[in-house]
Amino acid sequence: MKIIIAGAGEVGFHLAKLLSYESQEITLIDTKKDNLAYAGEHLDIRTIKGDATSIAVLKDARIDTASLYIAVTSSETTNITACVLAKQLGAKRTIARISNTEFIDNKETVGFSKFGIDELISPESLAASEIELLLKQYGFNDTYEFEGGALTMLGLRLSRTATFLDKTVKQAAELYSELHFIPIAIQRLGTQYTIIPRGDTIFKEGDKVVFMTCKGGGEELFQLSGKVKVDIKNVMILGGSQIGYKTAKDLCSNKFNVKLIESRRSKAEDLADELPNALVICGDGRNVDILDEENVSDMDAFIAVTGNSETNIMSCLLAKSKGVKKTIALVENMDYYQLSQSIGIDTLINKKLLAANNIFRYIRKGEVVAMTKLTNMNAELLEFVVKPKSKITNKVIKDLKFPKSAIIGGVIRDGHGSIPLGSFKIEAGDRVVVCCLPRSISEVERFFS
């Protein structure tokens, strides 16, 4: 597949890096020579210096042969214009990164596809949705929903109070008569290796474990992991950015009590008008006295989404020291993204990584309908729709010669999610969620092609 990416920033570079592993033919366009030089040195791709909206540059990139054109520059206007031009010049499919979430909310009304834009991706909207999901799944550090929650991925770190500590996966499953969850990936404390668990894999203290759950599985996991469920109602948000605004708006509509702190007076006044159900405070959220005055210790969650990663991290650590149960920090630097547990913050999110992973699912072969990379782990979750002639159709799971570095985590049939055992028979129309290491992706895809 020939793919052209406009924008060699963090989103574009991360995308190009992911796609280069797939042996795709990648061309990267950017106006900055340094960005292209770094990408050219580290990745096996073609680079072109120039404006993504230049017809000459697009022709030089052989846009007429492109299966996919992805515009992820920092300029929303550039991305939209570039996609329109790319489609007119022969690109089969286009994706534009935008910042105005109104475009996504009114995508069908406006009809962007008529202009030549097939998909819109908003990093800010994705980050706000991720934050809301993390608050709903309190106690878990990573979450991802399939089909509106028919199946949910939940990640947690095992403490010494976990019921299934030092037990095998098989022994842990026997603790409940009806299975509503299954471990799909494990990372041992202090290592960078991702394990795809089997029946004889033993749970150890400090393990980061990712589970796939169907309805009721989250409650069981809470009990077995030794965690005490606490409903999150009171939320403090630091930063009136687009992410802060959208998060506050979404949380207010879901009956959360929201306090939003913004340092710029004019911005705070605008937010107060736009968010009548939230309490907007003008002040510097890095100031301990202001946080104390606003009773940060009474908050169930603290979310820092200013434009400064260091401010977000430090304010979350401060909130944690005041007894806040759940802390979420937005970070721009990809290097920080690996540090969440080691520095004491519950979850770090990176909107660019969320956008890149979301775009990545459009490139997959077979019938992939959803995809996400596991945070800080070298594994991916893929959701496939089983076709009548797929190799996996009408096969029992235990009879499949599935790679050892992959596992079927869940199946959605007629909107109902289930955790399949070895005797489960896959049928056409099923939506199958698979967790696998990168080296086995191609092999897994062949089962569904």
Side-chain angles (χ1 to χ4, degrees), residues 352-435:
K352 295 171 182 176
L353 187 60
L354 287 171
N357 287 343
N358 196 272
I359 293 169
F360 193 38
R361 65 191 173 97
Y362 295 106
I363 290 95
R364 287 296 187 200
K365 303 169 193 169
E367 290 295 305
V368 178
V369 291
M371 171 268 168
T372 185
K373 279 185 73 67
L374 301 185
T375 306
N376 297 349
M377 298 175 85
N378 187 33
E380 294 181 13
L381 272 182
L382 303 172
E383 181 187 358
F384 295 89
V385 173
V386 179
K387 295 183 288 189
K389 293 184 179 180
S390 297
K391 294 176 183 176
I392 202 169
T393 309
N394 296 323
K395 297 287 196 310
V396 174
I397 288 177
K398 65 183 178 183
D399 295 336
L400 295 170
K401 293 182 179 178
F402 225 57
K404 294 288 186 183
S405 53
I407 185 172
I408 293 177
V411 176
I412 301 170
R413 182 176 292 168
D414 300 325
H416 176 72
S418 60
I419 304 301
L421 300 178
S423 58
F424 190 94
K425 187 177 182 181
I426 304 292
E427 297 178 0
D430 285 350
R431 304 174 87 91
V432 178
V433 179
V434 178
C435 180

Coordinates of all heavy atoms in Angstrom, one line a residue, residues 352-435:
K352 N -1.3 13.1 20.7 CA -0.7 12.8 19.4 C -0.6 11.3 19.2 O -0.9 10.7 18.1 CB 0.7 13.4 19.3 CG 0.6 15.0 19.3 CD 2.0 15.6 19.4 CE 1.8 17.1 19.4 NZ 3.2 17.8 19.6
L353 N -0.3 10.6 20.3 CA -0.2 9.1 20.2 C -1.6 8.5 20.0 O -1.8 7.6 19.3 CB 0.4 8.5 21.5 CG 0.7 7.0 21.5 CD1 1.7 6.7 20.4 CD2 1.3 6.6 22.9
L354 N -2.6 9.1 20.7 CA -4.0 8.7 20.5 C -4.4 8.8 19.1 O -5.1 8.0 18.5 CB -4.9 9.5 21.5 CG -4.8 9.1 23.0 CD1 -5.7 10.2 23.7 CD2 -5.4 7.7 23.2
A355 N -4.0 10.0 18.5 CA -4.4 10.3 17.1 C -3.7 9.3 16.2 O -4.4 8.8 15.3 CB -4.1 11.7 16.8
A356 N -2.4 9.1 16.4 CA -1.7 8.2 15.5 C -2.3 6.8 15.5 O -2.4 6.1 14.5 CB -0.2 8.2 15.9
N357 N -2.5 6.3 16.7 CA -3.1 4.9 16.9 C -4.5 4.8 16.3 O -4.9 3.8 15.7 CB -3.2 4.5 18.4 CG -1.8 4.3 18.9 OD1 -0.8 4.0 18.2 ND2 -1.7 4.3 20.3
N358 N -5.3 5.9 16.4 CA -6.6 5.9 15.8 C -6.5 5.9 14.3 O -7.3 5.2 13.6 CB -7.4 7.1 16.3 CG -8.9 7.0 16.1 OD1 -9.3 7.4 15.0 ND2 -9.6 6.5 17.1
I359 N -5.6 6.6 13.7 CA -5.4 6.6 12.3 C -4.9 5.3 11.8 O -5.3 4.8 10.7 CB -4.5 7.8 11.8 CG1 -5.1 9.1 12.1 CG2 -4.1 7.7 10.4 CD1 -4.1 10.3 12.0
F360 N -4.1 4.7 12.6 CA -3.4 3.4 12.2 C -4.4 2.3 11.8 O -4.1 1.5 11.0 CB -2.5 3.0 13.4 CG -1.5 1.9 13.0 CD1 -0.9 1.9 11.8 CD2 -1.2 0.9 13.9 CE1 0.0 0.9 11.4 CE2 -0.3 -0.1 13.6 CZ 0.3 0.0 12.3
R361 N -5.5 2.3 12.4 CA -6.5 1.2 12.2 C -7.0 1.3 10.8 O -7.5 0.3 10.3 CB -7.6 1.3 13.2 CG -8.5 2.5 13.1 CD -9.5 2.5 14.3 NE -10.2 3.8 14.3 CZ -11.5 3.9 13.9 NH1 -12.1 2.9 13.3 NH2 -12.1 5.1 14.0
Y362 N -6.9 2.4 10.1 CA -7.4 2.5 8.7 C -6.5 1.8 7.7 O -6.8 1.6 6.6 CB -7.6 4.0 8.3 CG -8.6 4.7 9.0 CD1 -8.3 5.6 10.0 CD2 -10.0 4.4 8.8 CE1 -9.3 6.3 10.7 CE2 -11.0 5.1 9.5 CZ -10.6 6.0 10.5 OH -11.6 6.7 11.2
I363 N -5.3 1.5 8.2 CA -4.3 0.9 7.3 C -4.3 -0.6 7.3 O -3.9 -1.3 6.4 CB -2.9 1.4 7.7 CG1 -2.8 2.9 7.3 CG2 -1.8 0.7 6.9 CD1 -3.0 3.8 8.4
R364 N -4.8 -1.2 8.4 CA -4.8 -2.6 8.6 C -5.5 -3.4 7.5 O -6.4 -2.9 6.9 CB -5.5 -3.0 9.9 CG -4.7 -2.6 11.2 CD -3.4 -3.4 11.1 NE -2.7 -3.2 12.4 CZ -1.4 -3.4 12.5 NH1 -0.7 -3.9 11.5 NH2 -0.8 -3.3 13.6
K365 N -5.0 -4.6 7.2 CA -5.5 -5.5 6.2 C -6.8 -6.2 6.8 O -7.2 -5.9 7.9 CB -4.5 -6.5 5.8 CG -3.2 -5.9 5.2 CD -2.2 -7.0 5.1 CE -0.8 -6.4 4.8 NZ 0.2 -7.4 4.9
G366 N -7.3 -7.2 6.1 CA -8.4 -7.9 6.6 C -9.6 -7.0 6.9 O -9.9 -6.1 6.2
E367 N -10.3 -7.4 7.9 CA -11.5 -6.7 8.3 C -11.4 -6.0 9.6 O -12.2 -6.1 10.5 CB -12.7 -7.7 8.3 CG -13.1 -8.1 6.9 CD -13.6 -7.0 6.0 OE1 -14.6 -6.3 6.4 OE2 -13.1 -6.8 4.9
V368 N -10.3 -5.4 9.8 CA -10.0 -4.7 11.1 C -11.0 -3.5 11.2 O -11.0 -2.6 10.3 CB -8.6 -4.2 11.3 CG1 -8.4 -3.5 12.6 CG2 -7.6 -5.4 11.2
V369 N -11.7 -3.4 12.3 CA -12.6 -2.3 12.5 C -12.2 -1.4 13.7 O -12.7 -0.3 13.8 CB -14.1 -2.8 12.7 CG1 -14.6 -3.4 11.4 CG2 -14.2 -3.8 13.8
A370 N -11.3 -1.9 14.5 CA -10.8 -1.0 15.6 C -9.5 -1.5 16.0 O -9.1 -2.7 15.8 CB -11.8 -1.1 16.8
M371 N -8.7 -0.6 16.5 CA -7.3 -0.9 16.9 C -6.8 0.0 17.9 O -7.1 1.2 17.9 CB -6.4 -0.9 15.6 CG -4.9 -1.0 15.8 SD -4.1 0.6 16.1 CE -2.5 0.1 16.6
T372 N -6.0 -0.5 18.9 CA -5.3 0.4 19.8 C -4.1 -0.3 20.3 O -4.0 -1.5 20.3 CB -6.2 0.7 21.0 OG1 -5.6 1.6 21.9 CG2 -6.5 -0.6 21.9
K373 N -3.0 0.5 20.6 CA -1.8 0.0 21.2 C -2.0 0.0 22.7 O -2.5 1.0 23.2 CB -0.6 0.8 20.7 CG -0.1 0.4 19.3 CD 1.2 1.2 19.0 CE 2.4 0.6 19.8 NZ 2.8 -0.7 19.4
L374 N -1.5 -1.0 23.4 CA -1.5 -1.0 24.8 C -0.5 0.0 25.3 O 0.7 0.0 24.9 CB -1.2 -2.4 25.4 CG -2.2 -3.5 24.9 CD1 -1.9 -4.8 25.6 CD2 -3.7 -3.1 25.1
T375 N -0.9 0.8 26.3 CA 0.0 1.8 26.9 C 1.2 1.2 27.5 O 1.2 0.3 28.3 CB -0.7 2.6 28.0 OG1 -1.9 3.1 27.4 CG2 0.1 3.8 28.5
N376 N 2.4 1.7 27.1 CA 3.7 1.2 27.6 C 4.0 -0.2 27.4 O 4.9 -0.8 28.0 CB 3.8 1.5 29.1 CG 3.7 3.0 29.4 OD1 3.8 3.8 28.5 ND2 3.6 3.3 30.7
M377 N 3.2 -0.9 26.5 CA 3.5 -2.3 26.3 C 3.6 -2.5 24.8 O 3.0 -1.8 23.9 CB 2.3 -3.1 26.8 CG 2.2 -3.0 28.3 SD 0.7 -3.9 29.0 CE 1.4 -5.5 29.2
N378 N 4.4 -3.5 24.4 CA 4.7 -3.8 23.0 C 3.6 -4.8 22.5 O 3.9 -5.9 22.1 CB 6.1 -4.4 22.9 CG 6.5 -4.6 21.5 OD1 6.1 -3.8 20.6 ND2 7.3 -5.6 21.2
A379 N 2.4 -4.4 22.5 CA 1.3 -5.2 22.0 C 0.2 -4.4 21.5 O 0.0 -3.2 21.8 CB 0.8 -6.1 23.2
E380 N -0.7 -5.0 20.6 CA -1.8 -4.3 20.0 C -3.1 -5.0 20.2 O -3.1 -6.3 20.3 CB -1.5 -4.0 18.5 CG -0.3 -3.1 18.3 CD -0.1 -2.9 16.8 OE1 -1.0 -3.3 16.0 OE2 0.9 -2.4 16.4
L381 N -4.2 -4.3 20.3 CA -5.5 -4.9 20.3 C -6.1 -4.6 18.9 O -6.2 -3.5 18.5 CB -6.4 -4.3 21.4 CG -6.3 -4.9 22.8 CD1 -7.3 -4.1 23.6 CD2 -6.7 -6.3 22.7
L382 N -6.6 -5.7 18.3 CA -7.2 -5.6 17.0 C -8.6 -6.2 17.0 O -8.8 -7.3 17.6 CB -6.4 -6.3 15.9 CG -5.0 -5.8 15.7 CD1 -4.2 -6.8 14.8 CD2 -4.9 -4.4 15.2
E383 N -9.6 -5.5 16.4 CA -11.0 -6.0 16.4 C -11.3 -6.4 14.9 O -11.2 -5.5 14.0 CB -12.0 -5.0 16.9 CG -13.4 -5.6 16.8 CD -14.5 -4.5 17.2 OE1 -14.1 -3.4 17.6 OE2 -15.7 -4.9 17.1
F384 N -11.6 -7.6 14.6 CA -11.9 -8.1 13.3 C -13.4 -8.5 13.1 O -14.0 -8.9 14.1 CB -11.1 -9.4 12.9 CG -9.6 -9.2 12.9 CD1 -8.8 -9.3 14.0 CD2 -9.0 -8.9 11.7 CE1 -7.5 -9.2 14.0 CE2 -7.6 -8.7 11.6 CZ -6.8 -8.9 12.8
V385 N -13.9 -8.3 11.9 CA -15.2 -8.8 11.6 C -15.0 -10.1 10.8 O -14.3 -10.1 9.8 CB -16.1 -7.8 10.8 CG1 -17.3 -8.5 10.3 CG2 -16.4 -6.6 11.6
V386 N -15.5 -11.2 11.2 CA -15.3 -12.5 10.6 C -16.2 -12.6 9.3 O -17.4 -12.4 9.4 CB -15.6 -13.6 11.6 CG1 -15.4 -15.0 10.9 CG2 -14.8 -13.5 12.8
K387 N -15.5 -12.8 8.2 CA -16.2 -13.0 6.9 C -16.6 -14.5 6.7 O -16.0 -15.3 7.3 CB -15.4 -12.5 5.8 CG -15.1 -11.0 5.9 CD -14.2 -10.5 4.7 CE -12.8 -11.0 4.7 NZ -11.9 -10.4 3.7
P388 N -17.6 -14.7 5.9 CA -18.0 -16.1 5.7 C -16.9 -17.0 5.2 O -16.9 -18.2 5.5 CB -19.1 -16.0 4.6 CG -19.7 -14.6 4.8 CD -18.5 -13.8 5.2
K389 N -16.0 -16.5 4.4 CA -14.9 -17.3 3.9 C -13.6 -17.1 4.6 O -12.5 -17.6 4.1 CB -14.7 -17.0 2.4 CG -15.9 -17.4 1.5 CD -15.6 -17.1 0.1 CE -16.8 -17.6 -0.8 NZ -16.6 -17.3 -2.2
S390 N -13.6 -16.5 5.8 CA -12.4 -16.4 6.6 C -11.9 -17.8 7.0 O -12.7 -18.7 7.3 CB -12.6 -15.5 7.8 OG -12.9 -14.2 7.4
K391 N -10.6 -17.9 7.2 CA -10.0 -19.2 7.7 C -10.5 -19.6 9.1 O -10.5 -20.7 9.4 CB -8.5 -19.1 7.6 CG -7.9 -19.0 6.2 CD -6.4 -18.8 6.3 CE -5.9 -18.6 4.9 NZ -4.4 -18.3 4.9
I392 N -10.9 -18.6 9.8 CA -11.3 -18.8 11.2 C -12.8 -19.2 11.3 O -13.2 -19.7 12.4 CB -11.0 -17.5 12.1 CG1 -10.9 -17.9 13.6 CG2 -12.0 -16.4 11.8 CD1 -10.3 -16.8 14.4
T393 N -13.6 -19.0 10.3 CA -15.0 -19.2 10.3 C -15.4 -20.6 10.5 O -14.8 -21.5 9.9 CB -15.7 -18.7 9.0 OG1 -15.2 -17.4 8.7 CG2 -17.2 -18.7 9.1
N394 N -16.4 -20.8 11.5 CA -16.9 -22.2 11.8 C -15.8 -23.1 12.4 O -15.9 -24.3 12.4 CB -17.5 -22.9 10.6 CG -18.7 -22.1 10.1 OD1 -19.5 -21.6 11.0 ND2 -18.9 -22.1 8.8
K395 N -14.8 -22.5 13.0 CA -13.7 -23.2 13.7 C -13.8 -23.0 15.2 O -14.2 -22.0 15.7 CB -12.3 -22.7 13.2 CG -12.0 -22.9 11.7 CD -11.8 -24.3 11.4 CE -11.1 -24.5 10.0 NZ -11.8 -23.8 8.9
V396 N -13.4 -24.1 15.9 CA -13.4 -24.1 17.4 C -12.0 -23.5 17.8 O -11.0 -23.9 17.2 CB -13.6 -25.5 18.0 CG1 -13.4 -25.4 19.5 CG2 -15.0 -26.0 17.6
I397 N -12.0 -22.6 18.8 CA -10.7 -21.9 19.1 C -9.6 -22.8 19.4 O -8.5 -22.6 18.9 CB -11.0 -20.9 20.3 CG1 -11.9 -19.7 19.8 CG2 -9.7 -20.4 20.9 CD1 -12.2 -18.8 20.9
K398 N -9.8 -23.9 20.2 CA -8.7 -24.8 20.5 C -8.1 -25.5 19.4 O -7.0 -26.0 19.4 CB -9.2 -25.8 21.6 CG -10.3 -26.8 21.2 CD -10.7 -27.6 22.3 CE -11.8 -28.6 21.9 NZ -12.3 -29.4 23.0
D399 N -8.9 -25.6 18.2 CA -8.4 -26.3 17.0 C -7.6 -25.4 16.1 O -7.0 -25.8 15.1 CB -9.5 -26.9 16.3 CG -10.2 -28.0 17.1 OD1 -9.6 -28.6 17.9 OD2 -11.4 -28.3 16.8
L400 N -7.6 -24.1 16.4 CA -6.9 -23.1 15.6 C -5.4 -23.1 15.9 O -5.0 -23.3 17.1 CB -7.4 -21.7 15.9 CG -8.8 -21.3 15.5 CD1 -9.2 -20.0 16.0 CD2 -9.0 -21.4 14.0
K401 N -4.6 -23.1 14.9 CA -3.1 -23.0 15.2 C -2.7 -21.5 15.3 O -2.0 -21.0 14.5 CB -2.4 -23.7 14.0 CG -2.6 -25.2 14.0 CD -1.9 -25.9 12.9 CE -2.1 -27.4 12.9 NZ -1.4 -28.1 11.8
F402 N -3.3 -20.9 16.3 CA -3.1 -19.5 16.6 C -1.7 -19.3 17.1 O -1.2 -20.1 17.9 CB -4.1 -19.0 17.6 CG -4.7 -17.7 17.2 CD1 -5.4 -17.5 16.0 CD2 -4.6 -16.6 18.1 CE1 -6.0 -16.3 15.7 CE2 -5.2 -15.4 17.8 CZ -5.9 -15.2 16.6
P403 N -1.0 -18.2 16.7 CA 0.4 -18.0 17.2 C 0.4 -17.9 18.7 O -0.5 -17.3 19.3 CB 0.9 -16.7 16.5 CG -0.4 -16.1 16.0 CD -1.4 -17.2 15.7
K404 N 1.6 -18.3 19.3 CA 1.7 -18.2 20.8 C 1.8 -16.8 21.3 O 1.5 -16.5 22.4 CB 3.0 -19.0 21.2 CG 2.9 -20.5 21.0 CD 2.0 -21.1 22.0 CE 2.1 -22.7 21.8 NZ 1.1 -23.3 22.7
S405 N 2.2 -15.9 20.4 CA 2.3 -14.5 20.8 C 1.0 -13.7 20.5 O 1.1 -12.5 20.3 CB 3.5 -13.8 20.1 OG 3.4 -14.1 18.7
A406 N -0.1 -14.4 20.4 CA -1.4 -13.8 20.2 C -2.5 -14.5 21.0 O -2.3 -15.7 21.3 CB -1.8 -13.7 18.7
I407 N -3.6 -13.8 21.3 CA -4.6 -14.5 22.1 C -6.0 -13.8 21.7 O -6.1 -12.6 21.5 CB -4.4 -14.3 23.6 CG1 -5.5 -15.1 24.4 CG2 -4.4 -12.8 24.0 CD1 -5.2 -15.1 25.9
I408 N -7.0 -14.7 21.6 CA -8.4 -14.1 21.3 C -8.9 -13.7 22.7 O -9.1 -14.6 23.6 CB -9.2 -15.2 20.7 CG1 -8.7 -15.5 19.2 CG2 -10.7 -14.7 20.6 CD1 -9.5 -16.6 18.5
G409 N -9.2 -12.4 22.9 CA -9.6 -11.9 24.2 C -11.1 -11.9 24.4 O -11.6 -11.9 25.5
G410 N -11.8 -11.7 23.3 CA -13.3 -11.6 23.4 C -14.0 -11.7 22.0 O -13.3 -11.5 21.0
V411 N -15.3 -12.0 22.1 CA -16.1 -12.1 20.9 C -17.4 -11.4 21.1 O -18.0 -11.5 22.2 CB -16.3 -13.6 20.5 CG1 -17.3 -13.6 19.3 CG2 -15.1 -14.3 20.2
I412 N -17.8 -10.6 20.1 CA -19.0 -9.9 20.2 C -20.0 -10.5 19.1 O -19.6 -10.5 17.9 CB -18.9 -8.4 19.9 CG1 -17.9 -7.7 21.0 CG2 -20.3 -7.7 20.0 CD1 -17.5 -6.3 20.7
R413 N -21.1 -11.0 19.6 CA -22.0 -11.6 18.6 C -23.4 -11.0 18.9 O -23.9 -11.1 20.0 CB -22.1 -13.2 18.9 CG -23.0 -13.9 17.9 CD -22.9 -15.4 18.1 NE -21.6 -15.9 17.7 CZ -21.1 -17.1 18.0 NH1 -21.9 -18.0 18.7 NH2 -19.9 -17.5 17.6
D414 N -24.0 -10.5 17.9 CA -25.3 -9.8 18.0 C -25.3 -8.8 19.1 O -26.3 -8.6 19.9 CB -26.4 -10.9 18.3 CG -26.5 -11.9 17.2 OD1 -26.3 -11.5 16.0 OD2 -26.8 -13.1 17.5
G415 N -24.2 -8.0 19.2 CA -24.1 -7.0 20.2 C -23.8 -7.4 21.6 O -23.6 -6.5 22.5
H416 N -23.7 -8.7 21.8 CA -23.4 -9.2 23.2 C -21.9 -9.7 23.2 O -21.5 -10.5 22.4 CB -24.3 -10.4 23.5 CG -24.0 -11.0 24.8 ND1 -24.3 -10.5 26.0 CD2 -23.5 -12.3 25.1 CE1 -23.9 -11.3 27.0 NE2 -23.4 -12.4 26.5
G417 N -21.2 -9.2 24.2 CA -19.8 -9.6 24.4 C -19.6 -10.8 25.3 O -20.4 -11.0 26.2
S418 N -18.7 -11.6 24.9 CA -18.4 -12.8 25.7 C -16.9 -13.1 25.7 O -16.2 -12.7 24.8 CB -19.2 -14.0 25.2 OG -18.9 -14.3 23.9
I419 N -16.5 -13.8 26.8 CA -15.1 -14.2 26.9 C -15.0 -15.7 26.5 O -15.5 -16.6 27.2 CB -14.6 -14.1 28.4 CG1 -14.7 -12.6 28.9 CG2 -13.1 -14.5 28.5 CD1 -14.0 -11.6 28.0
P420 N -14.5 -16.0 25.3 CA -14.5 -17.3 24.8 C -13.5 -18.3 25.4 O -12.4 -17.9 25.6 CB -14.3 -17.1 23.3 CG -13.4 -15.9 23.2 CD -13.8 -15.0 24.4
L421 N -13.9 -19.5 25.6 CA -13.0 -20.5 26.0 C -12.6 -21.4 24.8 O -13.0 -21.1 23.7 CB -13.6 -21.4 27.1 CG -14.0 -20.6 28.4 CD1 -14.7 -21.6 29.4 CD2 -12.9 -19.9 29.0
G422 N -11.8 -22.4 25.0 CA -11.3 -23.2 23.9 C -12.3 -23.9 23.1 O -12.1 -24.1 21.9
S423 N -13.5 -24.2 23.7 CA -14.6 -24.9 23.0 C -15.5 -23.9 22.2 O -16.4 -24.4 21.5 CB -15.4 -25.7 24.0 OG -16.0 -24.8 24.9
F424 N -15.2 -22.6 22.2 CA -16.0 -21.6 21.5 C -15.9 -21.7 20.0 O -14.7 -21.8 19.5 CB -15.7 -20.2 22.0 CG -16.6 -19.1 21.6 CD1 -17.7 -18.8 22.4 CD2 -16.5 -18.5 20.4 CE1 -18.6 -17.8 22.0 CE2 -17.3 -17.5 19.9 CZ -18.4 -17.2 20.8
K425 N -17.0 -21.7 19.3 CA -16.9 -21.8 17.8 C -17.2 -20.4 17.2 O -18.1 -19.8 17.5 CB -18.0 -22.8 17.3 CG -17.9 -23.1 15.8 CD -19.0 -24.1 15.5 CE -18.9 -24.5 14.0 NZ -20.0 -25.5 13.7
I426 N -16.2 -20.0 16.4 CA -16.3 -18.7 15.7 C -17.2 -18.8 14.5 O -17.2 -19.7 13.7 CB -14.9 -18.2 15.2 CG1 -13.9 -18.2 16.4 CG2 -15.0 -16.9 14.6 CD1 -14.2 -17.1 17.4
E427 N -18.1 -17.8 14.4 CA -19.1 -17.8 13.3 C -18.9 -16.5 12.4 O -18.4 -15.5 12.9 CB -20.5 -17.9 13.8 CG -20.8 -19.2 14.6 CD -22.2 -19.2 15.1 OE1 -23.0 -18.2 14.9 OE2 -22.6 -20.2 15.8
A428 N -19.4 -16.6 11.2 CA -19.4 -15.4 10.3 C -20.2 -14.3 10.9 O -21.3 -14.6 11.5 CB -19.9 -15.8 8.9
G429 N -19.7 -13.1 10.8 CA -20.4 -11.9 11.5 C -19.9 -11.6 12.8 O -20.2 -10.5 13.4
D430 N -19.2 -12.6 13.5 CA -18.7 -12.3 14.8 C -17.6 -11.2 14.7 O -16.9 -11.0 13.7 CB -18.0 -13.5 15.4 CG -19.0 -14.6 15.9 OD1 -20.2 -14.3 16.0 OD2 -18.5 -15.7 16.2
R431 N -17.6 -10.4 15.8 CA -16.5 -9.4 15.9 C -15.5 -10.0 17.0 O -15.9 -10.1 18.1 CB -17.1 -8.1 16.4 CG -18.1 -7.5 15.4 CD -18.8 -6.3 15.9 NE -18.1 -5.1 15.5 CZ -18.3 -4.4 14.4 NH1 -19.3 -4.8 13.6 NH2 -17.6 -3.3 14.1
V432 N -14.3 -10.3 16.5 CA -13.3 -10.9 17.4 C -12.2 -10.0 17.8 O -11.6 -9.3 16.9 CB -12.7 -12.2 16.7 CG1 -11.7 -12.8 17.5 CG2 -13.8 -13.1 16.3
V433 N -11.9 -9.9 19.1 CA -10.9 -9.0 19.6 C -9.6 -9.8 19.9 O -9.7 -10.8 20.6 CB -11.3 -8.2 20.8 CG1 -10.2 -7.3 21.3 CG2 -12.5 -7.3 20.5
V434 N -8.5 -9.5 19.2 CA -7.3 -10.2 19.4 C -6.2 -9.3 20.0 O -6.1 -8.1 19.6 CB -6.8 -10.7 18.0 CG1 -5.5 -11.5 18.2 CG2 -7.8 -11.7 17.4
C435 N -5.4 -9.8 20.9 CA -4.3 -9.1 21.4 C -3.0 -9.8 20.9 O -3.0 -11.1 21.1 CB -4.3 -9.1 23.0 SG -2.8 -8.2 23.7

